[in-house]
Amino acid sequence: MKRDQWTGVELRHLVALEAVARHRSFGRAARELGYTQSAVSQQIAQLERLVGQQLVERPGGPRRVDVTDAGTLLLRHADAIVAQLDAAQADMAALAEGAAGPLRVGIYQSVGARILPALLRRFGEEWPRVEVHGREETDASELLRLLEHGELDLTFADLPLLEGPFESAEILNDPYVLLVSAGSELAGRESAPALRELSGMPLIAWRTLGDPETYLRGRVPDLNIVFRTDDNGTLTGLVAEGIGVAVVPRLLVNPRNPSVVGLPFGSRIPPRVIAIVWHRDRYRSAAAKAFADLARDMGAEYAATESSSASAASRSQRPAR
């Protein structure tokens, strides 16, 4: 197959293939795209000639159309091409807006509660004409998908990242703690108990299996999950009422909430690493770069503050000599 044949492939061909594959019908695809059925059929036939493979099975009559293995494979590449086009469109808008206009940032709950408010205030003082639009999701993979498609300019995410066109800068090492009720017998401890002591203990966990639950499985003999939620407020409320304990990042623990206590695990559980992420191939505005730099600075400030607080608490708990 000659490479110059592929230069004749146009976006309309791929869009037609995607619509036919989704509807499994030339007629319905044509109605969606605003073409005649024969026009869609011609576009698919032309695409097949260009790539040298049959992409669609045409059973005829009222039976549904099937996409061949070659068509399925090509559609995977088509999705990436459309994503690149979306990103290019977002780039042109960002370039035209310059230092003004929207900056779209993806966040998740703990970052939104503990890091974002002060970050937005300081960024607004330095870039008053830039409007930051936050997009909160519980699933980090969804934030990265939005970033890849140009629907976000930046996003917070945990390292390591999923595979994709991403670059990142580390913001913060966020160690895990055992969140317990302030009225619990455990609350008086200086640190979390050994992992084996969590065996059988009622645990509140997130709905999506991931860190740290994956780490605990195999290390805690009887991992007793009694409730799952993706809402940090619900999780904290359940722990506060003594329904169970939870293994959470320290950033989730609000120091102004007297009803719960976070007991550090130290190095027994690897910390999560929070990063600010951008699209490797997209134009980054000066405002986006400044936001990322400021996020790094504030992450360093937060880590220094937490370290000082932990040292002070440790000294206060030492017996007098």
PDB file of all heavy atoms in Angstrom, residues 109-115 117 174 177-180 182 232-233 235-237 239-240 248-263 302 306:
ATOM      1  N   GLN A 109     -11.866  16.295  44.558  1.00  0.00           N
ATOM      2  CA  GLN A 109     -12.420  16.906  45.764  1.00  0.00           C
ATOM      3  C   GLN A 109     -11.388  17.439  46.748  1.00  0.00           C
ATOM      4  O   GLN A 109     -11.490  18.574  47.216  1.00  0.00           O
ATOM      5  CB  GLN A 109     -13.319  15.884  46.487  1.00  0.00           C
ATOM      6  CG  GLN A 109     -14.600  15.550  45.732  1.00  0.00           C
ATOM      7  CD  GLN A 109     -15.425  14.530  46.479  1.00  0.00           C
ATOM      8  OE1 GLN A 109     -15.959  14.809  47.540  1.00  0.00           O
ATOM      9  NE2 GLN A 109     -15.521  13.331  45.922  1.00  0.00           N
ATOM     10  N   SER A 110     -10.387  16.643  47.102  1.00  0.00           N
ATOM     11  CA  SER A 110      -9.453  17.082  48.138  1.00  0.00           C
ATOM     12  C   SER A 110      -8.657  18.296  47.681  1.00  0.00           C
ATOM     13  O   SER A 110      -8.407  19.218  48.467  1.00  0.00           O
ATOM     14  CB  SER A 110      -8.518  15.937  48.532  1.00  0.00           C
ATOM     15  OG  SER A 110      -7.838  15.418  47.401  1.00  0.00           O
ATOM     16  N   VAL A 111      -8.257  18.324  46.409  1.00  0.00           N
ATOM     17  CA  VAL A 111      -7.552  19.498  45.875  1.00  0.00           C
ATOM     18  C   VAL A 111      -8.494  20.697  45.864  1.00  0.00           C
ATOM     19  O   VAL A 111      -8.107  21.818  46.205  1.00  0.00           O
ATOM     20  CB  VAL A 111      -7.018  19.207  44.456  1.00  0.00           C
ATOM     21  CG1 VAL A 111      -6.527  20.481  43.789  1.00  0.00           C
ATOM     22  CG2 VAL A 111      -5.888  18.181  44.523  1.00  0.00           C
ATOM     23  N   GLY A 112      -9.751  20.452  45.478  1.00  0.00           N
ATOM     24  CA  GLY A 112     -10.724  21.538  45.428  1.00  0.00           C
ATOM     25  C   GLY A 112     -10.993  22.146  46.792  1.00  0.00           C
ATOM     26  O   GLY A 112     -11.236  23.352  46.908  1.00  0.00           O
ATOM     27  N   ALA A 113     -10.918  21.335  47.843  1.00  0.00           N
ATOM     28  CA  ALA A 113     -11.222  21.831  49.181  1.00  0.00           C
ATOM     29  C   ALA A 113     -10.030  22.477  49.856  1.00  0.00           C
ATOM     30  O   ALA A 113     -10.176  23.482  50.575  1.00  0.00           O
ATOM     31  CB  ALA A 113     -11.737  20.675  50.046  1.00  0.00           C
ATOM     32  N   ARG A 114      -8.816  21.950  49.637  1.00  0.00           N
ATOM     33  CA  ARG A 114      -7.667  22.372  50.435  1.00  0.00           C
ATOM     34  C   ARG A 114      -6.661  23.237  49.683  1.00  0.00           C
ATOM     35  O   ARG A 114      -5.986  24.061  50.295  1.00  0.00           O
ATOM     36  CB  ARG A 114      -6.942  21.129  50.979  1.00  0.00           C
ATOM     37  CG  ARG A 114      -7.807  20.233  51.877  1.00  0.00           C
ATOM     38  CD  ARG A 114      -8.205  20.920  53.177  1.00  0.00           C
ATOM     39  NE  ARG A 114      -7.035  21.408  53.892  1.00  0.00           N
ATOM     40  CZ  ARG A 114      -6.207  20.626  54.591  1.00  0.00           C
ATOM     41  NH1 ARG A 114      -6.447  19.337  54.688  1.00  0.00           N
ATOM     42  NH2 ARG A 114      -5.161  21.144  55.205  1.00  0.00           N
ATOM     43  N   ILE A 115      -6.511  23.029  48.391  1.00  0.00           N
ATOM     44  CA  ILE A 115      -5.497  23.751  47.620  1.00  0.00           C
ATOM     45  C   ILE A 115      -6.111  24.852  46.760  1.00  0.00           C
ATOM     46  O   ILE A 115      -5.604  25.978  46.689  1.00  0.00           O
ATOM     47  CB  ILE A 115      -4.703  22.777  46.721  1.00  0.00           C
ATOM     48  CG1 ILE A 115      -3.964  21.748  47.574  1.00  0.00           C
ATOM     49  CG2 ILE A 115      -3.740  23.531  45.811  1.00  0.00           C
ATOM     50  CD1 ILE A 115      -2.838  22.309  48.394  1.00  0.00           C
ATOM     51  N   PRO A 117      -8.880  26.923  46.728  1.00  0.00           N
ATOM     52  CA  PRO A 117      -9.358  28.262  47.132  1.00  0.00           C
ATOM     53  C   PRO A 117      -8.246  29.305  47.219  1.00  0.00           C
ATOM     54  O   PRO A 117      -8.356  30.387  46.629  1.00  0.00           O
ATOM     55  CB  PRO A 117     -10.010  27.991  48.493  1.00  0.00           C
ATOM     56  CG  PRO A 117     -10.451  26.573  48.416  1.00  0.00           C
ATOM     57  CD  PRO A 117      -9.376  25.872  47.647  1.00  0.00           C
ATOM     58  N   ASP A 174       1.591  13.505  49.055  1.00  0.00           N
ATOM     59  CA  ASP A 174       0.488  13.529  50.011  1.00  0.00           C
ATOM     60  C   ASP A 174       0.416  12.179  50.730  1.00  0.00           C
ATOM     61  O   ASP A 174      -0.141  11.217  50.200  1.00  0.00           O
ATOM     62  CB  ASP A 174      -0.821  13.819  49.248  1.00  0.00           C
ATOM     63  CG  ASP A 174      -1.977  14.141  50.171  1.00  0.00           C
ATOM     64  OD1 ASP A 174      -1.719  14.454  51.350  1.00  0.00           O
ATOM     65  OD2 ASP A 174      -3.134  14.067  49.717  1.00  0.00           O
ATOM     66  N   VAL A 177      -3.080   8.676  55.795  1.00  0.00           N
ATOM     67  CA  VAL A 177      -3.330   8.625  57.237  1.00  0.00           C
ATOM     68  C   VAL A 177      -4.534   7.728  57.485  1.00  0.00           C
ATOM     69  O   VAL A 177      -5.329   7.448  56.568  1.00  0.00           O
ATOM     70  CB  VAL A 177      -3.603  10.032  57.824  1.00  0.00           C
ATOM     71  CG1 VAL A 177      -2.418  10.954  57.604  1.00  0.00           C
ATOM     72  CG2 VAL A 177      -4.875  10.642  57.221  1.00  0.00           C
ATOM     73  N   LEU A 178      -4.661   7.265  58.729  1.00  0.00           N
ATOM     74  CA  LEU A 178      -5.852   6.531  59.137  1.00  0.00           C
ATOM     75  C   LEU A 178      -6.805   7.528  59.768  1.00  0.00           C
ATOM     76  O   LEU A 178      -6.502   8.119  60.811  1.00  0.00           O
ATOM     77  CB  LEU A 178      -5.497   5.421  60.126  1.00  0.00           C
ATOM     78  CG  LEU A 178      -6.677   4.533  60.556  1.00  0.00           C
ATOM     79  CD1 LEU A 178      -7.164   3.685  59.382  1.00  0.00           C
ATOM     80  CD2 LEU A 178      -6.303   3.647  61.743  1.00  0.00           C
ATOM     81  N   LEU A 179      -7.939   7.756  59.136  1.00  0.00           N
ATOM     82  CA  LEU A 179      -8.932   8.703  59.638  1.00  0.00           C
ATOM     83  C   LEU A 179      -9.826   7.984  60.638  1.00  0.00           C
ATOM     84  O   LEU A 179     -10.452   6.963  60.311  1.00  0.00           O
ATOM     85  CB  LEU A 179      -9.758   9.250  58.474  1.00  0.00           C
ATOM     86  CG  LEU A 179     -10.638  10.462  58.774  1.00  0.00           C
ATOM     87  CD1 LEU A 179      -9.781  11.683  59.076  1.00  0.00           C
ATOM     88  CD2 LEU A 179     -11.569  10.751  57.602  1.00  0.00           C
ATOM     89  N   VAL A 180      -9.864   8.494  61.861  1.00  0.00           N
ATOM     90  CA  VAL A 180     -10.657   7.870  62.925  1.00  0.00           C
ATOM     91  C   VAL A 180     -11.509   8.936  63.598  1.00  0.00           C
ATOM     92  O   VAL A 180     -11.223  10.139  63.528  1.00  0.00           O
ATOM     93  CB  VAL A 180      -9.753   7.175  63.976  1.00  0.00           C
ATOM     94  CG1 VAL A 180      -8.868   6.125  63.319  1.00  0.00           C
ATOM     95  CG2 VAL A 180      -8.892   8.195  64.727  1.00  0.00           C
ATOM     96  N   ALA A 182     -12.839  11.237  66.552  1.00  0.00           N
ATOM     97  CA  ALA A 182     -12.141  11.866  67.677  1.00  0.00           C
ATOM     98  C   ALA A 182     -12.481  11.171  68.991  1.00  0.00           C
ATOM     99  O   ALA A 182     -11.717  11.242  69.953  1.00  0.00           O
ATOM    100  CB  ALA A 182     -12.497  13.347  67.749  1.00  0.00           C
ATOM    101  N   ASN A 232     -16.166  12.798  49.650  1.00  0.00           N
ATOM    102  CA  ASN A 232     -15.307  12.946  50.823  1.00  0.00           C
ATOM    103  C   ASN A 232     -16.086  13.375  52.063  1.00  0.00           C
ATOM    104  O   ASN A 232     -15.757  12.987  53.185  1.00  0.00           O
ATOM    105  CB  ASN A 232     -14.202  13.964  50.539  1.00  0.00           C
ATOM    106  CG  ASN A 232     -13.174  13.449  49.546  1.00  0.00           C
ATOM    107  OD1 ASN A 232     -13.175  12.269  49.199  1.00  0.00           O
ATOM    108  ND2 ASN A 232     -12.309  14.326  49.081  1.00  0.00           N
ATOM    109  N   GLY A 233     -17.127  14.193  51.872  1.00  0.00           N
ATOM    110  CA  GLY A 233     -17.931  14.626  53.008  1.00  0.00           C
ATOM    111  C   GLY A 233     -18.666  13.467  53.648  1.00  0.00           C
ATOM    112  O   GLY A 233     -18.745  13.362  54.885  1.00  0.00           O
ATOM    113  N   LEU A 235     -17.762  10.283  53.494  1.00  0.00           N
ATOM    114  CA  LEU A 235     -16.749   9.435  54.128  1.00  0.00           C
ATOM    115  C   LEU A 235     -16.356   9.989  55.493  1.00  0.00           C
ATOM    116  O   LEU A 235     -16.323   9.263  56.494  1.00  0.00           O
ATOM    117  CB  LEU A 235     -15.533   9.319  53.207  1.00  0.00           C
ATOM    118  CG  LEU A 235     -14.374   8.441  53.680  1.00  0.00           C
ATOM    119  CD1 LEU A 235     -13.708   7.734  52.508  1.00  0.00           C
ATOM    120  CD2 LEU A 235     -13.333   9.273  54.426  1.00  0.00           C
ATOM    121  N   THR A 236     -16.084  11.293  55.543  1.00  0.00           N
ATOM    122  CA  THR A 236     -15.676  11.908  56.806  1.00  0.00           C
ATOM    123  C   THR A 236     -16.796  11.845  57.836  1.00  0.00           C
ATOM    124  O   THR A 236     -16.554  11.568  59.021  1.00  0.00           O
ATOM    125  CB  THR A 236     -15.261  13.372  56.568  1.00  0.00           C
ATOM    126  OG1 THR A 236     -14.187  13.408  55.621  1.00  0.00           O
ATOM    127  CG2 THR A 236     -14.811  14.038  57.857  1.00  0.00           C
ATOM    128  N   GLY A 237     -18.037  12.060  57.404  1.00  0.00           N
ATOM    129  CA  GLY A 237     -19.175  12.002  58.318  1.00  0.00           C
ATOM    130  C   GLY A 237     -19.363  10.620  58.915  1.00  0.00           C
ATOM    131  O   GLY A 237     -19.646  10.483  60.114  1.00  0.00           O
ATOM    132  N   VAL A 239     -17.031   8.331  59.330  1.00  0.00           N
ATOM    133  CA  VAL A 239     -15.934   8.098  60.278  1.00  0.00           C
ATOM    134  C   VAL A 239     -16.190   8.864  61.575  1.00  0.00           C
ATOM    135  O   VAL A 239     -15.990   8.329  62.681  1.00  0.00           O
ATOM    136  CB  VAL A 239     -14.587   8.516  59.657  1.00  0.00           C
ATOM    137  CG1 VAL A 239     -13.475   8.486  60.714  1.00  0.00           C
ATOM    138  CG2 VAL A 239     -14.226   7.583  58.506  1.00  0.00           C
ATOM    139  N   ALA A 240     -16.637  10.098  61.476  1.00  0.00           N
ATOM    140  CA  ALA A 240     -16.893  10.919  62.660  1.00  0.00           C
ATOM    141  C   ALA A 240     -17.913  10.271  63.586  1.00  0.00           C
ATOM    142  O   ALA A 240     -17.827  10.399  64.821  1.00  0.00           O
ATOM    143  CB  ALA A 240     -17.359  12.312  62.245  1.00  0.00           C
ATOM    144  N   VAL A 248      -6.961   7.431  54.056  1.00  0.00           N
ATOM    145  CA  VAL A 248      -7.154   8.537  53.124  1.00  0.00           C
ATOM    146  C   VAL A 248      -5.877   9.362  53.011  1.00  0.00           C
ATOM    147  O   VAL A 248      -5.032   9.347  53.906  1.00  0.00           O
ATOM    148  CB  VAL A 248      -8.319   9.450  53.579  1.00  0.00           C
ATOM    149  CG1 VAL A 248      -9.625   8.671  53.684  1.00  0.00           C
ATOM    150  CG2 VAL A 248      -7.987  10.117  54.913  1.00  0.00           C
ATOM    151  N   PRO A 249      -5.739  10.128  51.928  1.00  0.00           N
ATOM    152  CA  PRO A 249      -4.612  11.076  51.847  1.00  0.00           C
ATOM    153  C   PRO A 249      -4.761  12.165  52.908  1.00  0.00           C
ATOM    154  O   PRO A 249      -5.874  12.565  53.253  1.00  0.00           O
ATOM    155  CB  PRO A 249      -4.736  11.657  50.434  1.00  0.00           C
ATOM    156  CG  PRO A 249      -5.622  10.718  49.693  1.00  0.00           C
ATOM    157  CD  PRO A 249      -6.540  10.126  50.700  1.00  0.00           C
ATOM    158  N   ARG A 250      -3.641  12.646  53.413  1.00  0.00           N
ATOM    159  CA  ARG A 250      -3.679  13.675  54.454  1.00  0.00           C
ATOM    160  C   ARG A 250      -4.409  14.925  53.983  1.00  0.00           C
ATOM    161  O   ARG A 250      -5.048  15.626  54.785  1.00  0.00           O
ATOM    162  CB  ARG A 250      -2.255  14.025  54.872  1.00  0.00           C
ATOM    163  CG  ARG A 250      -2.171  15.013  56.040  1.00  0.00           C
ATOM    164  CD  ARG A 250      -0.744  15.180  56.527  1.00  0.00           C
ATOM    165  NE  ARG A 250       0.112  15.721  55.467  1.00  0.00           N
ATOM    166  CZ  ARG A 250       1.442  15.815  55.580  1.00  0.00           C
ATOM    167  NH1 ARG A 250       2.050  15.364  56.655  1.00  0.00           N
ATOM    168  NH2 ARG A 250       2.158  16.327  54.587  1.00  0.00           N
ATOM    169  N   LEU A 251      -4.330  15.213  52.693  1.00  0.00           N
ATOM    170  CA  LEU A 251      -4.973  16.418  52.163  1.00  0.00           C
ATOM    171  C   LEU A 251      -6.479  16.396  52.379  1.00  0.00           C
ATOM    172  O   LEU A 251      -7.118  17.441  52.421  1.00  0.00           O
ATOM    173  CB  LEU A 251      -4.657  16.539  50.667  1.00  0.00           C
ATOM    174  CG  LEU A 251      -4.917  17.891  49.993  1.00  0.00           C
ATOM    175  CD1 LEU A 251      -4.062  18.974  50.611  1.00  0.00           C
ATOM    176  CD2 LEU A 251      -4.657  17.792  48.497  1.00  0.00           C
ATOM    177  N   LEU A 252      -7.048  15.211  52.522  1.00  0.00           N
ATOM    178  CA  LEU A 252      -8.492  15.109  52.722  1.00  0.00           C
ATOM    179  C   LEU A 252      -8.905  15.550  54.123  1.00  0.00           C
ATOM    180  O   LEU A 252     -10.053  15.941  54.339  1.00  0.00           O
ATOM    181  CB  LEU A 252      -8.934  13.665  52.459  1.00  0.00           C
ATOM    182  CG  LEU A 252     -10.430  13.344  52.488  1.00  0.00           C
ATOM    183  CD1 LEU A 252     -10.739  12.230  51.490  1.00  0.00           C
ATOM    184  CD2 LEU A 252     -10.891  12.895  53.885  1.00  0.00           C
ATOM    185  N   VAL A 253      -7.987  15.493  55.070  1.00  0.00           N
ATOM    186  CA  VAL A 253      -8.326  15.763  56.471  1.00  0.00           C
ATOM    187  C   VAL A 253      -8.345  17.267  56.722  1.00  0.00           C
ATOM    188  O   VAL A 253      -7.325  17.939  56.576  1.00  0.00           O
ATOM    189  CB  VAL A 253      -7.319  15.091  57.424  1.00  0.00           C
ATOM    190  CG1 VAL A 253      -7.762  15.292  58.876  1.00  0.00           C
ATOM    191  CG2 VAL A 253      -7.178  13.618  57.102  1.00  0.00           C
ATOM    192  N   ASN A 254      -9.508  17.771  57.079  1.00  0.00           N
ATOM    193  CA  ASN A 254      -9.651  19.199  57.374  1.00  0.00           C
ATOM    194  C   ASN A 254      -9.225  19.450  58.820  1.00  0.00           C
ATOM    195  O   ASN A 254      -9.866  18.961  59.756  1.00  0.00           O
ATOM    196  CB  ASN A 254     -11.102  19.633  57.177  1.00  0.00           C
ATOM    197  CG  ASN A 254     -11.287  21.132  57.328  1.00  0.00           C
ATOM    198  OD1 ASN A 254     -10.416  21.844  57.827  1.00  0.00           O
ATOM    199  ND2 ASN A 254     -12.447  21.631  56.910  1.00  0.00           N
ATOM    200  N   PRO A 255      -8.144  20.209  59.038  1.00  0.00           N
ATOM    201  CA  PRO A 255      -7.670  20.431  60.418  1.00  0.00           C
ATOM    202  C   PRO A 255      -8.675  21.212  61.267  1.00  0.00           C
ATOM    203  O   PRO A 255      -8.564  21.216  62.500  1.00  0.00           O
ATOM    204  CB  PRO A 255      -6.368  21.218  60.215  1.00  0.00           C
ATOM    205  CG  PRO A 255      -6.506  21.874  58.871  1.00  0.00           C
ATOM    206  CD  PRO A 255      -7.313  20.921  58.039  1.00  0.00           C
ATOM    207  N   ARG A 256      -9.657  21.865  60.631  1.00  0.00           N
ATOM    208  CA  ARG A 256     -10.663  22.628  61.386  1.00  0.00           C
ATOM    209  C   ARG A 256     -11.832  21.746  61.828  1.00  0.00           C
ATOM    210  O   ARG A 256     -12.754  22.232  62.476  1.00  0.00           O
ATOM    211  CB  ARG A 256     -11.193  23.784  60.533  1.00  0.00           C
ATOM    212  CG  ARG A 256     -10.131  24.804  60.115  1.00  0.00           C
ATOM    213  CD  ARG A 256     -10.765  25.984  59.408  1.00  0.00           C
ATOM    214  NE  ARG A 256      -9.772  26.936  58.932  1.00  0.00           N
ATOM    215  CZ  ARG A 256      -9.207  26.890  57.741  1.00  0.00           C
ATOM    216  NH1 ARG A 256      -9.560  25.922  56.881  1.00  0.00           N
ATOM    217  NH2 ARG A 256      -8.311  27.780  57.377  1.00  0.00           N
ATOM    218  N   ASN A 257     -11.805  20.469  61.455  1.00  0.00           N
ATOM    219  CA  ASN A 257     -12.883  19.553  61.830  1.00  0.00           C
ATOM    220  C   ASN A 257     -12.465  18.780  63.081  1.00  0.00           C
ATOM    221  O   ASN A 257     -11.651  17.855  62.999  1.00  0.00           O
ATOM    222  CB  ASN A 257     -13.163  18.588  60.673  1.00  0.00           C
ATOM    223  CG  ASN A 257     -14.361  17.687  60.961  1.00  0.00           C
ATOM    224  OD1 ASN A 257     -14.884  17.666  62.071  1.00  0.00           O
ATOM    225  ND2 ASN A 257     -14.782  16.935  59.959  1.00  0.00           N
ATOM    226  N   PRO A 258     -13.019  19.109  64.249  1.00  0.00           N
ATOM    227  CA  PRO A 258     -12.580  18.460  65.493  1.00  0.00           C
ATOM    228  C   PRO A 258     -13.148  17.058  65.682  1.00  0.00           C
ATOM    229  O   PRO A 258     -12.785  16.370  66.636  1.00  0.00           O
ATOM    230  CB  PRO A 258     -13.108  19.409  66.571  1.00  0.00           C
ATOM    231  CG  PRO A 258     -14.349  19.994  65.965  1.00  0.00           C
ATOM    232  CD  PRO A 258     -14.071  20.125  64.491  1.00  0.00           C
ATOM    233  N   SER A 259     -14.033  16.621  64.791  1.00  0.00           N
ATOM    234  CA  SER A 259     -14.704  15.333  64.994  1.00  0.00           C
ATOM    235  C   SER A 259     -13.898  14.146  64.480  1.00  0.00           C
ATOM    236  O   SER A 259     -14.262  12.999  64.741  1.00  0.00           O
ATOM    237  CB  SER A 259     -16.079  15.345  64.312  1.00  0.00           C
ATOM    238  OG  SER A 259     -15.945  15.494  62.906  1.00  0.00           O
ATOM    239  N   VAL A 260     -12.809  14.400  63.733  1.00  0.00           N
ATOM    240  CA  VAL A 260     -11.988  13.308  63.209  1.00  0.00           C
ATOM    241  C   VAL A 260     -10.510  13.616  63.450  1.00  0.00           C
ATOM    242  O   VAL A 260     -10.117  14.769  63.610  1.00  0.00           O
ATOM    243  CB  VAL A 260     -12.229  13.077  61.695  1.00  0.00           C
ATOM    244  CG1 VAL A 260     -13.618  12.523  61.441  1.00  0.00           C
ATOM    245  CG2 VAL A 260     -11.994  14.357  60.903  1.00  0.00           C
ATOM    246  N   VAL A 261      -9.711  12.550  63.449  1.00  0.00           N
ATOM    247  CA  VAL A 261      -8.265  12.659  63.651  1.00  0.00           C
ATOM    248  C   VAL A 261      -7.576  11.818  62.585  1.00  0.00           C
ATOM    249  O   VAL A 261      -8.022  10.702  62.276  1.00  0.00           O
ATOM    250  CB  VAL A 261      -7.856  12.157  65.050  1.00  0.00           C
ATOM    251  CG1 VAL A 261      -6.333  12.169  65.216  1.00  0.00           C
ATOM    252  CG2 VAL A 261      -8.516  13.002  66.138  1.00  0.00           C
ATOM    253  N   GLY A 262      -6.502  12.356  62.000  1.00  0.00           N
ATOM    254  CA  GLY A 262      -5.722  11.621  61.014  1.00  0.00           C
ATOM    255  C   GLY A 262      -4.435  11.102  61.634  1.00  0.00           C
ATOM    256  O   GLY A 262      -3.591  11.889  62.064  1.00  0.00           O
ATOM    257  N   LEU A 263      -4.270   9.777  61.685  1.00  0.00           N
ATOM    258  CA  LEU A 263      -3.080   9.161  62.267  1.00  0.00           C
ATOM    259  C   LEU A 263      -2.125   8.770  61.149  1.00  0.00           C
ATOM    260  O   LEU A 263      -2.481   7.972  60.280  1.00  0.00           O
ATOM    261  CB  LEU A 263      -3.471   7.913  63.078  1.00  0.00           C
ATOM    262  CG  LEU A 263      -4.514   8.127  64.177  1.00  0.00           C
ATOM    263  CD1 LEU A 263      -4.868   6.788  64.824  1.00  0.00           C
ATOM    264  CD2 LEU A 263      -4.007   9.110  65.224  1.00  0.00           C
ATOM    265  N   TYR A 302       2.463  24.243  51.269  1.00  0.00           N
ATOM    266  CA  TYR A 302       1.599  23.350  52.047  1.00  0.00           C
ATOM    267  C   TYR A 302       2.425  22.257  52.715  1.00  0.00           C
ATOM    268  O   TYR A 302       2.253  21.957  53.895  1.00  0.00           O
ATOM    269  CB  TYR A 302       0.538  22.736  51.140  1.00  0.00           C
ATOM    270  CG  TYR A 302      -0.285  21.663  51.826  1.00  0.00           C
ATOM    271  CD1 TYR A 302      -1.390  22.001  52.592  1.00  0.00           C
ATOM    272  CD2 TYR A 302       0.049  20.319  51.704  1.00  0.00           C
ATOM    273  CE1 TYR A 302      -2.140  21.022  53.239  1.00  0.00           C
ATOM    274  CE2 TYR A 302      -0.692  19.338  52.339  1.00  0.00           C
ATOM    275  CZ  TYR A 302      -1.785  19.696  53.099  1.00  0.00           C
ATOM    276  OH  TYR A 302      -2.513  18.712  53.735  1.00  0.00           O
ATOM    277  N   GLU A 306       2.761  21.604  56.737  1.00  0.00           N
ATOM    278  CA  GLU A 306       2.380  20.329  57.340  1.00  0.00           C
ATOM    279  C   GLU A 306       3.545  19.713  58.093  1.00  0.00           C
ATOM    280  O   GLU A 306       3.382  19.147  59.169  1.00  0.00           O
ATOM    281  CB  GLU A 306       1.893  19.359  56.257  1.00  0.00           C
ATOM    282  CG  GLU A 306       0.529  19.702  55.696  1.00  0.00           C
ATOM    283  CD  GLU A 306      -0.569  19.549  56.723  1.00  0.00           C
ATOM    284  OE1 GLU A 306      -0.607  18.517  57.411  1.00  0.00           O
ATOM    285  OE2 GLU A 306      -1.386  20.485  56.859  1.00  0.00           O
TER     286      GLU A 306
END
